[in-house]
Amino acid sequence: MQHPYRAIAVFCGSRLGADPAHAAAADTLGRALAAAGIRLVYGGGRIGLMGRIADACLAAGGFVTGVIPTFLARWEVAHEAAQEMIEVDSMHTRKARMAELADAFVMLPGGLGTLDETIEIITWRQLRLHDKPIVLCDVAGSARPLIAAIEAAIGAGFAEPSVRDLYAVADGAEAVLPLLATLRPGTRTAAALT
């Protein structure tokens, strides 16, 4: 059975992280995307978890699209082996372009940039700028602090309990694609994301 998604944007760290489980999760998800014939859309880097997921996807015969701001490409962190590398003018444009290209979104472990991308894509869904599924991949507890922050906003009255419906949580990388297959495929809206 064909997976309902053609392209999935993955937000993840430009570092490997302290726990080897993080890199292993990137490898697992990269291979799974390739095996399912799903294009990886990601931040375009060759370092950290970004490099690991791209390498794993490419090694398994998958297609990789990187989206990278010019200033990062100049720092020579762009992945040379990606079949498609889209250079953009800013971090803001990068997020909008990744959102346009993707049918769904997955968050792997990462730092401030990963948290920023994830919160923004959840917020855009809340604002009905898109209706594409979002999965937080919990690797050794990596997603718990973000979920706790969302729960704190709900508890303090700054967010409705319904925001919990904007995303799903996968227990490890192996669970990501099976979980996504159960979620309603997102629809592209006419709303501008830039």
Side-chain angles (χ1 to χ4, degrees):
M1 180 179 149
Q2 188 174 358
H3 203 278
Y5 302 100
R6 297 180 312 273
I8 292 176
V10 178
F11 305 133
C12 59
S14 59
R15 296 182 181 197
L16 289 174
D19 188 335
H22 300 155
D27 293 344
T28 296
L29 185 56
R31 287 191 299 266
L33 291 170
I38 299 169
R39 175 170 51 144
L40 167 64
V41 177
Y42 84 119
R46 60 173 170 74
I47 58 175
L49 296 188
M50 285 199 289
R52 288 295 287 260
I53 192 169
D55 287 344
C57 188
L58 290 165
F63 192 92
V64 174
T65 296
V67 183
I68 193 166
T70 299
F71 79 93
L72 287 178
R74 284 194 188 129
W75 289 354
E76 299 179 354
V77 297
H79 201 301
E80 302 86 2
Q83 290 96 332
E84 183 178 32
M85 187 62 64
I86 300 169
E87 199 169 305
V88 294
D89 62 354
S90 69
M91 298 291 279
H92 298 291
T93 306
R94 175 203 241 177
K95 288 185 283 189
R97 189 74 179 112
M98 288 176 71
E100 290 168 7
L101 292 168
D103 301 315
F105 307 92
V106 174
M107 181 195 84
L108 283 177
L112 298 181
T114 302
L115 292 171
D116 168 63
E117 291 165 330
T118 305
I119 284 291
E120 187 153 10
I121 209 66
I122 292 171
T123 302
W124 286 355
R125 193 173 191 198
Q126 180 184 24
L127 296 172
R128 299 185 178 137
L129 295 176
H130 74 87
D131 191 20
K132 301 174 185 181
I134 302 163
V135 170
L136 311 182
C137 180
D138 188 46
V139 180
S142 64
R144 289 182 204 147
L146 176 58
I147 295 165
I150 294 168
E151 289 298 324
I154 294 169
F158 290 110
E160 294 294 324
S162 61
V163 300
R164 295 182 185 113
D165 299 331
L166 298 173
Y167 61 90
V169 181
D171 185 16
E174 299 85 358
V176 169
L177 293 188
L179 175 59
L180 270 172
T182 70
L183 303 175
R184 183 175 66 80
T187 57
R188 297 182 188 275
T189 66
L193 295 173
T194 55

